[in-house]
Amino acid sequence: MEPADGHPTIQHCIRSFEPYLAANRRTEKPVIHISLNPHPDDVLTDEQLTAIGQEYMEKMGYGNQPYIIYRHEDIGRPHIHIVSLRIDEQGKKIKDCKEWQRSTAVCRELERKYHLLPAEKMERRESLPLTAVDYRKGDIKHQIANVVKPVMQGYKFQSVKEFKALLGLFHVTVEEAHKTIKGKTYHGLVYAATDEKGERTGVAIKSSKIGKSVGYEALQKKFVKSKQ
């Protein structure tokens, strides 16, 4: 369901993932995150980048999956990130046999079609090989850190709600914490694991126990950077 203004937020996009994730809780790494990086000399419009992303997903067998394509320039040139799921509507894991070889062939094919610079110029980088937190396995702090740190580094989000929606894909939740001492208010974050129903479970962990890079101030800076 799209919002009334026709501009879906991260929360709306993530919501479309939820039925797929609910259909299969066994797959350890249900989320796939890909970046496609054309050569710096290839000048592509947003429409062309979107078309390339859509064709790539179709040819790789993910065409019927929900996925998000967004433009990024964090490496000094325009490229796209694609976030999707390895689980289909029936809860079956999508076959990934020889996926890297197939990906290379698809990238070469798209280079020829769009007259891009050849050779190894458009590469697929699959980043954030994140594993959903499993509260039954223990060592929750380490599991949560292995999700929160890469998400902070690799995704764009402009609010706590959007950040929380992304973390929810990996069975993690976050809450703001505020405390006033001698008239001065301090702000912080606490993270916790969630169960299969998305309910918080176990003891919450202060962001300071994980590191400043996932703390309140770092999150506020991330919001500003994501809007640029």
Side-chain angles (χ1 to χ4, degrees), residues 135-201:
Y135 65 93
R136 292 173 292 258
K137 291 184 177 180
D139 197 9
I140 298 300
K141 174 185 167 184
H142 183 69
Q143 288 193 67
I144 289 177
N146 284 343
V147 168
V148 176
K149 288 182 178 180
V151 168
M152 280 281 281
Q153 294 172 358
Y155 288 91
K156 283 190 174 184
F157 41 85
Q158 300 180 20
S159 68
V160 173
K161 286 185 178 180
E162 291 186 354
F163 183 41
K164 191 171 184 177
L166 283 169
L167 293 179
L169 289 172
F170 307 100
H171 298 176
V172 177
T173 189
V174 61
E175 299 291 344
E176 294 182 84
H178 308 286
K179 182 186 293 184
T180 301
I181 301 177
K182 295 182 179 180
K184 184 176 181 179
T185 301
Y186 296 86
H187 305 280
L189 298 173
V190 292
Y191 297 96
T194 61
D195 59 20
E196 290 80 0
K197 296 180 180 179
E199 300 293 332
R200 177 172 154 175
T201 182

Side-chain angles (χ1 to χ4, degrees), residues 2 37 46 49 58 70 89 91 105 107 122 130 137-138 141 158 170 177 180-181 184 192 204 207 210 216:
E2 291 191 2
N37 304 282
D46 289 348
L49 287 170
E58 188 70 37
Y70 59 98
E89 283 185 295
C107 286
M122 186 165 72
L130 302 179
K137 291 184 177 180
K141 174 185 167 184
Q158 300 180 20
F170 307 100
T180 301
I181 301 177
K184 184 176 181 179
S207 61
I210 299 175
Y216 184 85

Side-chain angles (χ1 to χ4, degrees), residues 60 96-108:
M60 289 298 295
D96 56 2
C97 179
K98 296 184 178 180
E99 196 165 67
W100 281 99
Q101 294 93 322
R102 290 190 291 113
S103 175
T104 299
V106 169
C107 286
R108 300 294 86 81

Side-chain angles (χ1 to χ4, degrees), residues 7-173:
H7 298 288
T9 63
I10 287 180
Q11 289 169 275
H12 283 93
C13 295
I14 296 301
R15 203 168 294 146
S16 69
F17 286 16
E18 291 175 351
Y20 293 75
L21 293 169
N24 182 338
R25 298 289 185 180
R26 300 180 305 277
T27 299
E28 286 192 352
K29 298 179 181 180
V31 179
I32 180 172
H33 179 187
I34 299 161
S35 69
L36 297 179
N37 304 282
H39 189 275
D41 293 339
D42 288 322
V43 180
L44 299 168
T45 65
D46 289 348
E47 290 74 16
Q48 288 173 315
L49 287 170
T50 299
I52 288 171
Q54 290 174 335
E55 287 192 46
Y56 176 87
M57 294 298 279
E58 188 70 37
K59 292 178 182 297
M60 289 298 295
Y62 291 90
N64 293 324
Q65 293 294 98
Y67 57 85
I68 305 168
I69 299 176
Y70 59 98
R71 177 186 173 120
H72 218 184
E73 296 189 24
D74 60 333
I75 57 175
R77 66 176 187 266
H79 58 283
I80 56 174
H81 289 255
I82 307 173
V83 181
S84 188
L85 298 173
R86 294 187 179 278
I87 302 165
D88 67 17
E89 283 185 295
Q90 285 71 46
K92 296 180 180 179
K93 185 175 182 295
I94 293 175
K95 294 181 180 179
D96 56 2
C97 179
K98 296 184 178 180
E99 196 165 67
W100 281 99
Q101 294 93 322
R102 290 190 291 113
S103 175
T104 299
V106 169
C107 286
R108 300 294 86 81
E109 182 181 344
L110 292 173
E111 285 173 352
R112 292 190 293 271
K113 177 175 180 178
Y114 288 90
H115 306 292
L116 305 179
L117 293 176
E120 304 303 315
K121 300 307 180 184
M122 186 165 72
E123 302 172 344
R124 159 184 160 148
R125 290 191 299 113
E126 184 174 334
S127 52
L128 303 187
L130 302 179
T131 299
V133 169
D134 185 343
Y135 65 93
R136 292 173 292 258
K137 291 184 177 180
D139 197 9
I140 298 300
K141 174 185 167 184
H142 183 69
Q143 288 193 67
I144 289 177
N146 284 343
V147 168
V148 176
K149 288 182 178 180
V151 168
M152 280 281 281
Q153 294 172 358
Y155 288 91
K156 283 190 174 184
F157 41 85
Q158 300 180 20
S159 68
V160 173
K161 286 185 178 180
E162 291 186 354
F163 183 41
K164 191 171 184 177
L166 283 169
L167 293 179
L169 289 172
F170 307 100
H171 298 176
V172 177
T173 189

